[in-house]
Amino acid sequence: MMATGMINGVDVERLSSTIDAIKGDPGIAAFRFRATNRWDNGGHTETTIHDFYGAKQNVTHDRDFHIDADEPDLLLGKDLGANPVELALTALASCLTTSLVYHAAARGITVRAVESDLEGELDLRGFLGLTDTVRNGYKSISVNFRIDADADEATIDELVKLAQNRSPVFDIISHPVEVLVTGEAMAAKH
Amino acid sequence: MMATGMINGVDVERLSSTIDAIKGDPGIAAFRFRATNRWDNGGHTETTIHDFYGAKQNVTHDRDFHIDADEPDLLLGKDLGANPVELALTALASCLTTSLVYHAAARGITVRAVESDLEGELDLRGFLGLTDTVRNGYKSISVNFRIDADADEATIDELVKLAQNRSPVFDIISHPVEVLVTGEAMAAKH
């Protein structure tokens, strides 16, 4: 049975009615998320998040989100933003935490604080094409949560498992996603 | 043969000497990237990027990078930041672009502009646990590049392929990464 009211800042009544609506019409659950990226110089790019499609409509965010990415000096950049693999950890951390908090709310479990530390091992020889024996991306990622909640140790373990089992970004990183990349020449800009 | 000087904002001489150093001592290429995340309320979290390990030393970024994540109102959040799956697209976009620009520089190809549009399809029934027939994460992601470079169409196609073949985040998303998640109760905060 689902809890009611606001729990952990999540409106569980609205969550419940969203679930009912999707059960009645699965098309409501079909989302398309979008990003546009523009290269600046060297390792510096800016990504803009403007809108998405979901619940059968196009939805514009309250404001555009601009996210700088760059490489640190050691990787020949100007350090004007987190680098892309740090942004991958950011996506994973925020997704696991949100999944944990929303699913705790749905079960009526009050969460007071969630913190996590992430670390990913990456061998640069992959990116540089220096060997076929290492991959380009993370070899492995560790995530360590500290949770303050109205729950015993066993329930906290269960919430951490639930977060993994439901988190979209955990799935995206731990299982293969088909990525189709195309490119074309752009007319010169003046 | 590698180009020399600054190309596309990338110091290709330093890139070349980095490669030589790694060939002499592969341990230099072992990196560990890190992130810490703190939950605020509802879907809102903040991730901090502070330091990383690489080239056999711990390196602190010039400043800490703070990245808000939240969900839009339709997904029961306050829309205070891009959501985690939009951040996954951000990581992918910035990584593919940086990979393209660095590898173009290494080949002596001048790039003037790179833009890309990304879109990922996601069925919310996965996150909500409403069916076993859809995954939690993206079913597929499309990336469309527009490139202005001193290169013909065939070379641009080659650069786009090279970006995919070398990009760490492309690898992280298109192939499985082992993610180990642990959690423990935190002492209550007062």
Side-chain angles (χ1 to χ4, degrees), chain A residues 36-129:
Chain A
T36 60
N37 180 278
R38 197 183 50 76
W39 174 61
D40 172 37
N41 194 40
H44 184 218
T45 71
E46 186 186 68
T47 301
T48 299
I49 308 293
H50 174 72
D51 66 354
F52 63 92
Y53 175 88
K56 302 192 171 186
Q57 60 195 305
N58 212 60
V59 180
T60 303
H61 282 289
D62 290 351
R63 60 179 183 88
D64 284 3
F65 302 114
H66 298 288
I67 300 151
D68 286 296
D70 198 357
E71 297 295 342
D73 176 71
L74 183 63
L75 297 171
L76 314 184
K78 301 278 186 204
D79 213 13
L80 297 173
N83 81 2
V85 291
E86 290 168 333
L87 290 174
L89 296 182
T90 302
L92 178 62
S94 54
C95 198
L96 283 168
T97 297
T98 301
S99 298
L100 190 152
V101 166
Y102 273 47
H103 281 279
R107 293 178 179 211
I109 301 168
T110 296
V111 173
R112 279 178 297 267
V114 184
E115 296 173 359
S116 55
D117 297 319
L118 289 85
E119 188 169 86
E121 276 186 59
L122 192 145
D123 190 319
L124 205 62
R125 288 178 294 166
F127 170 74
L128 294 170

Side-chain angles (χ1 to χ4, degrees), chain A:
Chain A
M1 207 190 64
M2 212 167 218
T4 55
M6 287 292 278
I7 302 179
N8 308 332
V10 179
D11 186 337
V12 289
E13 280 175 36
R14 239 183 110 197
L15 179 55
S16 178
S17 55
T18 300
I19 289 170
D20 287 343
I22 289 171
K23 281 178 179 167
D25 180 358
I28 295 170
F31 279 65
R32 288 173 180 267
F33 293 100
R34 298 171 185 141
T36 60
N37 180 278
R38 197 183 50 76
W39 174 61
D40 172 37
N41 194 40
H44 184 218
T45 71
E46 186 186 68
T47 301
T48 299
I49 308 293
H50 174 72
D51 66 354
F52 63 92
Y53 175 88
K56 302 192 171 186
Q57 60 195 305
N58 212 60
V59 180
T60 303
H61 282 289
D62 290 351
R63 60 179 183 88
D64 284 3
F65 302 114
H66 298 288
I67 300 151
D68 286 296
D70 198 357
E71 297 295 342
D73 176 71
L74 183 63
L75 297 171
L76 314 184
K78 301 278 186 204
D79 213 13
L80 297 173
N83 81 2
V85 291
E86 290 168 333
L87 290 174
L89 296 182
T90 302
L92 178 62
S94 54
C95 198
L96 283 168
T97 297
T98 301
S99 298
L100 190 152
V101 166
Y102 273 47
H103 281 279
R107 293 178 179 211
I109 301 168
T110 296
V111 173
R112 279 178 297 267
V114 184
E115 296 173 359
S116 55
D117 297 319
L118 289 85
E119 188 169 86
E121 276 186 59
L122 192 145
D123 190 319
L124 205 62
R125 288 178 294 166
F127 170 74
L128 294 170
L130 296 181
T131 171
D132 290 334
T133 63
V134 300
R135 64 184 293 174
N136 301 335
Y138 285 125
K139 185 185 166 193
S140 65
I141 298 172
S142 67
V143 185
N144 295 301
F145 274 107
R146 293 176 300 285
I147 297 162
D148 178 18
D150 277 342
D152 58 20
E153 288 273 1
T155 308
I156 282 176
D157 285 352
E158 214 179 296
L159 286 176
V160 170
K161 282 229 158 42
L162 191 58
Q164 293 174 70
N165 289 341
R166 297 270 70 92
S167 160
V169 178
F170 179 86
D171 174 35
I172 289 165
I173 290 181
S174 58
H175 299 112
V177 177
E178 184 189 35
V179 183
L180 182 69
V181 184
T182 61
E184 57 180 4
M186 174 167 52
K189 288 193 167 180
H190 297 288

Side-chain angles (χ1 to χ4, degrees), chain B residues 40-111:
Chain B
D40 173 37
N41 194 42
H44 184 216
T45 71
E46 185 186 70
T47 300
T48 299
I49 308 293
H50 173 73
D51 66 354
F52 63 91
Y53 175 89
K56 302 192 171 187
Q57 59 194 307
N58 212 60
V59 181
T60 302
H61 281 289
D62 290 349
R63 60 178 184 88
D64 284 3
F65 302 114
H66 299 288
I67 300 150
D68 286 296
D70 198 357
E71 296 294 342
D73 176 72
L74 183 63
L75 297 173
L76 313 182
K78 300 278 186 205
D79 213 14
L80 297 172
N83 81 1
V85 292
E86 289 167 334
L87 290 173
L89 295 182
T90 302
L92 178 62
S94 53
C95 198
L96 282 168
T97 297
T98 300
S99 299
L100 190 152
V101 166
Y102 274 48
H103 281 280
R107 292 178 179 211
I109 300 168
T110 296
V111 173

